[in-house]
Amino acid sequence: MQAVSPTAAGVAYLARPGRPAVVARTLAELRGPTRGVVELPVRLMWCPDRAFDLGDPDQLLWMYENILRETSSIDDLRRLVNGRTLRRVWRLLNLPRSVRLAWETRHRGLRPT
């Protein structure tokens, strides 16, 4: 089942034209890896080099940005994103405005203070 954050008007935030942003109901359900190398599926990353070393801060950010922007599945989020890590790097992520708003609407703890 997908989790999409609607606006007050009932319209989904879009990750890109025609694709609603997918947002987890809770950050605790995001139990992705915190170390090692992760290879993203082609549906999330189209280039040949889809492996990310989570020990490299820049690669971690790049991986999370791609997942949050491209996923159409809550299962991708649960399997690939770690909730604690997401909270730690949230402000550093370069995300489309609508993706950021979708996540911050659902998870108020991610909003800037």
Side-chain angles (χ1 to χ4, degrees):
M1 178 174 181
Q2 293 182 5
V4 178
S5 290
T7 64
V11 177
Y13 291 106
L14 297 179
R16 59 188 171 108
R19 179 172 292 183
V22 178
V23 179
R25 293 191 188 277
T26 69
L27 294 180
E29 72 183 282
L30 304 177
R31 298 184 180 192
T34 58
R35 60 187 154 199
V37 175
V38 175
E39 184 170 338
L40 294 183
V42 173
R43 71 180 176 281
L44 297 178
M45 186 76 175
W46 302 299
C47 68
D49 186 12
R50 298 186 317 272
F52 296 86
D53 179 353
L54 300 183
D56 180 324
D58 291 333
Q59 288 189 33
L60 172 71
L61 294 175
W62 180 232
M63 185 181 95
Y64 274 32
E65 290 163 358
N66 278 281
I67 294 166
L68 296 177
R69 185 180 57 248
E70 298 299 331
T71 192
S72 59
S73 165
I74 191 68
D75 291 331
D76 285 338
L77 294 174
R78 289 180 182 137
R79 185 172 52 82
L80 297 167
V81 176
N82 181 276
R84 286 183 179 169
T85 302
L86 180 63
R87 187 184 315 261
R88 179 175 52 83
V89 302
W90 180 252
R91 293 185 185 166
L92 301 173
L93 294 172
N94 183 14
L95 295 169
R97 185 172 184 259
S98 57
V99 172
R100 186 170 294 282
L101 286 172
W103 279 84
E104 289 177 355
T105 298
R106 173 71 57 127
H107 305 287
R108 296 176 191 248
L110 296 177
R111 291 180 184 175
T113 54

